[in-house]
Amino acid sequence: MTDRQLRVDVVVAVRNEEAALPHFLRQIDALPLPPDVDLRVLFVEDSSTDGTRALLRKLAHPGSRVGYLSLVKGYGQGLAVSFGLTRSRADPMIMMDGDGSHPVAAIPEMIAAFRAGAEVVQCVRRSPGDREAHRRWAATAYQSVAGFLIG
């Protein structure tokens, strides 16, 4: 894979995240990536009521590494991400949240693991931080079940 450009899509479901997107994209732009990695961000906007859709329209100009799709009504994060994955033409795809809850800095490590032969790379949050108790519990339960199923 190193003899050609590696296209990587970061698929991000967003809803009402106009304020978070510029910071997210600055983090993407600051990533130390090999020169043969073509990293793009594909936002799937799911019925935002703020300026998210207008901002994405502005960011997704020809030649930009940003693309977006819009869903007409609120289908939820899971379906939005699934829809984005079906539209990607990248070699590896990375699913993330654009609100800062997923570490953008992990992307180079994920790409390196893919290049080393990993078929699936999963990040696990090391610390739940200041999340609400129910979200910490749900994240712990999900990680436990996913870890059991994946092996």
Side-chain angles (χ1 to χ4, degrees), residues 51-89:
T52 299
R53 188 175 300 154
L55 177 60
L56 291 174
R57 195 175 302 118
K58 179 180 171 185
L59 294 169
H61 56 81
S64 168
R65 71 166 62 186
V66 176
Y68 83 99
L69 305 163
S70 284
L71 302 177
V72 178
K73 60 181 184 176
Y75 287 100
Q77 181 180 14
L79 287 175
V81 167
S82 294
F83 181 67
L85 292 174
T86 66
R87 298 303 185 262
S88 172
R89 298 294 172 249

Short mmCIF file of all heavy atoms in Angstrom, two decimals, residues 51-89:
data_model
loop_
_atom_site.label_atom_id
_atom_site.label_comp_id
_atom_site.label_asym_id
_atom_site.label_seq_id
_atom_site.Cartn_x
_atom_site.Cartn_y
_atom_site.Cartn_z
N GLY A 51 -26.64 26.38 12.41
CA GLY A 51 -25.96 26.68 11.16
C GLY A 51 -25.02 25.60 10.66
O GLY A 51 -24.18 25.86 9.80
N THR A 52 -25.16 24.37 11.18
CA THR A 52 -24.26 23.29 10.78
C THR A 52 -24.29 23.04 9.28
O THR A 52 -23.25 22.95 8.63
CB THR A 52 -24.61 21.99 11.54
OG1 THR A 52 -24.45 22.22 12.95
CG2 THR A 52 -23.73 20.84 11.11
N ARG A 53 -25.47 22.92 8.72
CA ARG A 53 -25.59 22.61 7.29
C ARG A 53 -24.98 23.71 6.43
O ARG A 53 -24.24 23.44 5.48
CB ARG A 53 -27.05 22.39 6.91
CG ARG A 53 -27.21 21.86 5.49
CD ARG A 53 -28.64 21.52 5.16
NE ARG A 53 -29.11 20.49 6.08
CZ ARG A 53 -30.38 20.31 6.41
NH1 ARG A 53 -31.31 21.07 5.90
NH2 ARG A 53 -30.73 19.34 7.23
N ALA A 54 -25.23 24.96 6.76
CA ALA A 54 -24.66 26.08 6.00
C ALA A 54 -23.13 26.09 6.11
O ALA A 54 -22.44 26.34 5.12
CB ALA A 54 -25.24 27.40 6.49
N LEU A 55 -22.61 25.80 7.30
CA LEU A 55 -21.16 25.75 7.48
C LEU A 55 -20.55 24.63 6.64
O LEU A 55 -19.53 24.82 5.98
CB LEU A 55 -20.81 25.57 8.95
CG LEU A 55 -19.33 25.43 9.28
CD1 LEU A 55 -18.55 26.65 8.82
CD2 LEU A 55 -19.14 25.18 10.77
N LEU A 56 -21.17 23.47 6.65
CA LEU A 56 -20.66 22.35 5.85
C LEU A 56 -20.69 22.67 4.37
O LEU A 56 -19.76 22.34 3.63
CB LEU A 56 -21.45 21.08 6.15
CG LEU A 56 -21.25 20.50 7.54
CD1 LEU A 56 -22.19 19.32 7.77
CD2 LEU A 56 -19.81 20.08 7.76
N ARG A 57 -21.74 23.32 3.93
CA ARG A 57 -21.84 23.71 2.51
C ARG A 57 -20.67 24.63 2.15
O ARG A 57 -20.08 24.50 1.08
CB ARG A 57 -23.18 24.41 2.29
CG ARG A 57 -23.58 24.55 0.85
CD ARG A 57 -24.98 25.13 0.67
NE ARG A 57 -26.02 24.35 1.32
CZ ARG A 57 -26.80 24.79 2.32
NH1 ARG A 57 -26.68 26.01 2.78
NH2 ARG A 57 -27.71 24.01 2.84
N LYS A 58 -20.32 25.52 3.06
CA LYS A 58 -19.21 26.45 2.83
C LYS A 58 -17.86 25.72 2.83
O LYS A 58 -16.98 26.01 2.02
CB LYS A 58 -19.22 27.52 3.92
CG LYS A 58 -18.12 28.53 3.84
CD LYS A 58 -18.26 29.54 4.98
CE LYS A 58 -17.04 30.43 5.05
NZ LYS A 58 -17.10 31.34 6.19
N LEU A 59 -17.70 24.75 3.73
CA LEU A 59 -16.43 24.03 3.86
C LEU A 59 -16.19 23.02 2.74
O LEU A 59 -15.05 22.71 2.42
CB LEU A 59 -16.38 23.30 5.21
CG LEU A 59 -16.34 24.18 6.45
CD1 LEU A 59 -16.56 23.34 7.70
CD2 LEU A 59 -15.03 24.93 6.53
N ALA A 60 -17.25 22.49 2.16
CA ALA A 60 -17.13 21.41 1.18
C ALA A 60 -17.05 21.95 -0.24
O ALA A 60 -17.85 21.61 -1.10
CB ALA A 60 -18.32 20.46 1.32
N HIS A 61 -16.07 22.77 -0.50
CA HIS A 61 -15.88 23.32 -1.84
C HIS A 61 -14.96 22.39 -2.65
O HIS A 61 -14.25 21.56 -2.07
CB HIS A 61 -15.30 24.74 -1.77
CG HIS A 61 -14.03 24.82 -0.99
ND1 HIS A 61 -12.80 24.49 -1.53
CD2 HIS A 61 -13.79 25.16 0.29
CE1 HIS A 61 -11.87 24.63 -0.62
NE2 HIS A 61 -12.43 25.04 0.49
N PRO A 62 -14.94 22.49 -3.98
CA PRO A 62 -14.05 21.66 -4.79
C PRO A 62 -12.59 21.84 -4.35
O PRO A 62 -12.14 22.94 -4.09
CB PRO A 62 -14.27 22.17 -6.21
CG PRO A 62 -15.63 22.79 -6.18
CD PRO A 62 -15.79 23.35 -4.79
N GLY A 63 -11.89 20.73 -4.21
CA GLY A 63 -10.51 20.77 -3.78
C GLY A 63 -10.35 20.66 -2.28
O GLY A 63 -9.24 20.53 -1.78
N SER A 64 -11.44 20.73 -1.54
CA SER A 64 -11.39 20.62 -0.09
C SER A 64 -11.35 19.16 0.32
O SER A 64 -11.82 18.29 -0.39
CB SER A 64 -12.65 21.28 0.50
OG SER A 64 -12.78 20.97 1.87
N ARG A 65 -10.79 18.91 1.49
CA ARG A 65 -10.80 17.55 2.02
C ARG A 65 -12.09 17.26 2.78
O ARG A 65 -12.24 16.21 3.37
CB ARG A 65 -9.59 17.32 2.91
CG ARG A 65 -9.66 18.06 4.23
CD ARG A 65 -8.68 17.63 5.25
NE ARG A 65 -7.32 17.83 4.83
CZ ARG A 65 -6.27 17.42 5.50
NH1 ARG A 65 -6.42 16.80 6.64
NH2 ARG A 65 -5.06 17.64 5.08
N VAL A 66 -13.02 18.22 2.77
CA VAL A 66 -14.29 18.08 3.48
C VAL A 66 -15.41 17.80 2.51
O VAL A 66 -15.55 18.48 1.49
CB VAL A 66 -14.61 19.37 4.29
CG1 VAL A 66 -15.98 19.27 4.95
CG2 VAL A 66 -13.53 19.62 5.32
N GLY A 67 -16.20 16.79 2.83
CA GLY A 67 -17.42 16.50 2.08
C GLY A 67 -18.56 16.36 3.07
O GLY A 67 -18.34 16.22 4.27
N TYR A 68 -19.77 16.45 2.58
CA TYR A 68 -20.89 16.25 3.49
C TYR A 68 -22.10 15.71 2.75
O TYR A 68 -22.26 15.88 1.55
CB TYR A 68 -21.23 17.52 4.26
CG TYR A 68 -22.12 18.49 3.51
CD1 TYR A 68 -23.49 18.54 3.75
CD2 TYR A 68 -21.60 19.35 2.55
CE1 TYR A 68 -24.30 19.42 3.07
CE2 TYR A 68 -22.39 20.23 1.87
CZ TYR A 68 -23.75 20.27 2.14
OH TYR A 68 -24.56 21.12 1.44
N LEU A 69 -22.91 15.03 3.52
CA LEU A 69 -24.20 14.53 3.08
C LEU A 69 -25.22 15.02 4.10
O LEU A 69 -24.88 15.17 5.28
CB LEU A 69 -24.21 13.00 3.06
CG LEU A 69 -23.13 12.32 2.22
CD1 LEU A 69 -22.99 10.85 2.61
CD2 LEU A 69 -23.45 12.47 0.75
N SER A 70 -26.45 15.28 3.68
CA SER A 70 -27.48 15.72 4.61
C SER A 70 -28.64 14.75 4.60
O SER A 70 -29.05 14.29 3.54
CB SER A 70 -28.00 17.11 4.24
OG SER A 70 -27.08 18.09 4.61
N LEU A 71 -29.13 14.46 5.78
CA LEU A 71 -30.33 13.66 5.93
C LEU A 71 -31.49 14.60 6.22
O LEU A 71 -31.34 15.57 6.95
CB LEU A 71 -30.15 12.64 7.07
CG LEU A 71 -28.97 11.68 6.90
CD1 LEU A 71 -28.85 10.78 8.12
CD2 LEU A 71 -29.13 10.84 5.64
N VAL A 72 -32.63 14.30 5.65
CA VAL A 72 -33.77 15.20 5.74
C VAL A 72 -34.41 15.21 7.12
O VAL A 72 -34.81 16.24 7.62
CB VAL A 72 -34.83 14.84 4.67
CG1 VAL A 72 -36.04 15.73 4.78
CG2 VAL A 72 -34.21 14.95 3.30
N LYS A 73 -34.49 14.05 7.75
CA LYS A 73 -35.08 14.01 9.09
C LYS A 73 -34.19 13.24 10.02
O LYS A 73 -33.31 12.49 9.58
CB LYS A 73 -36.48 13.40 9.05
CG LYS A 73 -36.55 12.00 8.54
CD LYS A 73 -37.99 11.53 8.53
CE LYS A 73 -38.08 10.08 8.11
NZ LYS A 73 -39.43 9.58 8.19
N GLY A 74 -34.36 13.43 11.29
CA GLY A 74 -33.48 12.86 12.30
C GLY A 74 -33.52 11.34 12.36
O GLY A 74 -34.41 10.77 12.96
N TYR A 75 -32.53 10.70 11.76
CA TYR A 75 -32.44 9.25 11.80
C TYR A 75 -31.56 8.76 12.95
O TYR A 75 -31.55 7.60 13.27
CB TYR A 75 -31.87 8.72 10.48
CG TYR A 75 -32.86 8.82 9.35
CD1 TYR A 75 -32.78 9.85 8.42
CD2 TYR A 75 -33.86 7.87 9.21
CE1 TYR A 75 -33.68 9.94 7.38
CE2 TYR A 75 -34.77 7.95 8.17
CZ TYR A 75 -34.67 9.00 7.26
OH TYR A 75 -35.57 9.09 6.24
N GLY A 76 -30.76 9.63 13.52
CA GLY A 76 -29.90 9.25 14.62
C GLY A 76 -28.48 8.98 14.16
O GLY A 76 -28.20 8.77 12.98
N GLN A 77 -27.60 8.95 15.14
CA GLN A 77 -26.17 8.82 14.86
C GLN A 77 -25.82 7.52 14.17
O GLN A 77 -25.04 7.50 13.21
CB GLN A 77 -25.38 8.95 16.16
CG GLN A 77 -23.88 8.86 15.94
CD GLN A 77 -23.10 8.98 17.22
OE1 GLN A 77 -23.65 8.89 18.32
NE2 GLN A 77 -21.81 9.19 17.09
N GLY A 78 -26.37 6.41 14.62
CA GLY A 78 -26.03 5.11 14.04
C GLY A 78 -26.34 5.02 12.55
O GLY A 78 -25.50 4.61 11.76
N LEU A 79 -27.53 5.41 12.19
CA LEU A 79 -27.90 5.36 10.77
C LEU A 79 -27.14 6.40 9.95
O LEU A 79 -26.78 6.15 8.80
CB LEU A 79 -29.40 5.55 10.60
CG LEU A 79 -30.23 4.33 11.01
CD1 LEU A 79 -31.71 4.64 10.93
CD2 LEU A 79 -29.89 3.13 10.16
N ALA A 80 -26.86 7.55 10.54
CA ALA A 80 -26.09 8.57 9.82
C ALA A 80 -24.69 8.06 9.52
O ALA A 80 -24.20 8.19 8.38
CB ALA A 80 -26.03 9.86 10.64
N VAL A 81 -24.04 7.44 10.49
CA VAL A 81 -22.70 6.90 10.26
C VAL A 81 -22.76 5.77 9.24
O VAL A 81 -21.93 5.71 8.31
CB VAL A 81 -22.07 6.40 11.59
CG1 VAL A 81 -20.83 5.57 11.33
CG2 VAL A 81 -21.73 7.58 12.47
N SER A 82 -23.74 4.88 9.36
CA SER A 82 -23.87 3.78 8.39
C SER A 82 -24.05 4.32 6.98
O SER A 82 -23.45 3.81 6.03
CB SER A 82 -25.07 2.89 8.75
OG SER A 82 -24.83 2.24 9.97
N PHE A 83 -24.86 5.35 6.82
CA PHE A 83 -25.07 5.97 5.52
C PHE A 83 -23.76 6.53 4.98
O PHE A 83 -23.41 6.33 3.81
CB PHE A 83 -26.13 7.07 5.64
CG PHE A 83 -26.44 7.75 4.33
CD1 PHE A 83 -27.08 7.08 3.31
CD2 PHE A 83 -26.11 9.08 4.14
CE1 PHE A 83 -27.37 7.71 2.11
CE2 PHE A 83 -26.40 9.72 2.95
CZ PHE A 83 -27.03 9.04 1.93
N GLY A 84 -23.00 7.21 5.83
CA GLY A 84 -21.71 7.75 5.42
C GLY A 84 -20.74 6.67 5.00
O GLY A 84 -20.02 6.81 4.00
N LEU A 85 -20.71 5.57 5.74
CA LEU A 85 -19.82 4.46 5.39
C LEU A 85 -20.16 3.88 4.03
O LEU A 85 -19.27 3.49 3.27
CB LEU A 85 -19.87 3.38 6.46
CG LEU A 85 -19.29 3.77 7.83
CD1 LEU A 85 -19.54 2.65 8.85
CD2 LEU A 85 -17.82 4.10 7.74
N THR A 86 -21.44 3.81 3.69
CA THR A 86 -21.82 3.27 2.39
C THR A 86 -21.45 4.20 1.24
O THR A 86 -21.32 3.75 0.11
CB THR A 86 -23.34 2.98 2.30
OG1 THR A 86 -24.07 4.21 2.37
CG2 THR A 86 -23.78 2.01 3.38
N ARG A 87 -21.25 5.49 1.54
CA ARG A 87 -20.90 6.46 0.49
C ARG A 87 -19.39 6.65 0.35
O ARG A 87 -18.94 7.27 -0.61
CB ARG A 87 -21.56 7.81 0.76
CG ARG A 87 -23.08 7.75 0.74
CD ARG A 87 -23.59 7.21 -0.58
NE ARG A 87 -25.03 7.25 -0.71
CZ ARG A 87 -25.84 6.22 -0.48
NH1 ARG A 87 -25.35 5.07 -0.09
NH2 ARG A 87 -27.13 6.33 -0.67
N SER A 88 -18.62 6.15 1.28
CA SER A 88 -17.18 6.32 1.24
C SER A 88 -16.56 5.40 0.20
O SER A 88 -17.01 4.28 0.00
CB SER A 88 -16.58 6.00 2.61
OG SER A 88 -15.17 5.99 2.54
N ARG A 89 -15.51 5.87 -0.43
CA ARG A 89 -14.75 5.06 -1.39
C ARG A 89 -13.30 4.90 -0.92
O ARG A 89 -12.41 4.60 -1.70
CB ARG A 89 -14.77 5.71 -2.78
CG ARG A 89 -16.16 5.84 -3.37
CD ARG A 89 -16.75 4.47 -3.66
NE ARG A 89 -18.14 4.57 -4.04
CZ ARG A 89 -19.16 4.15 -3.31
NH1 ARG A 89 -18.96 3.62 -2.14
NH2 ARG A 89 -20.40 4.26 -3.74
#
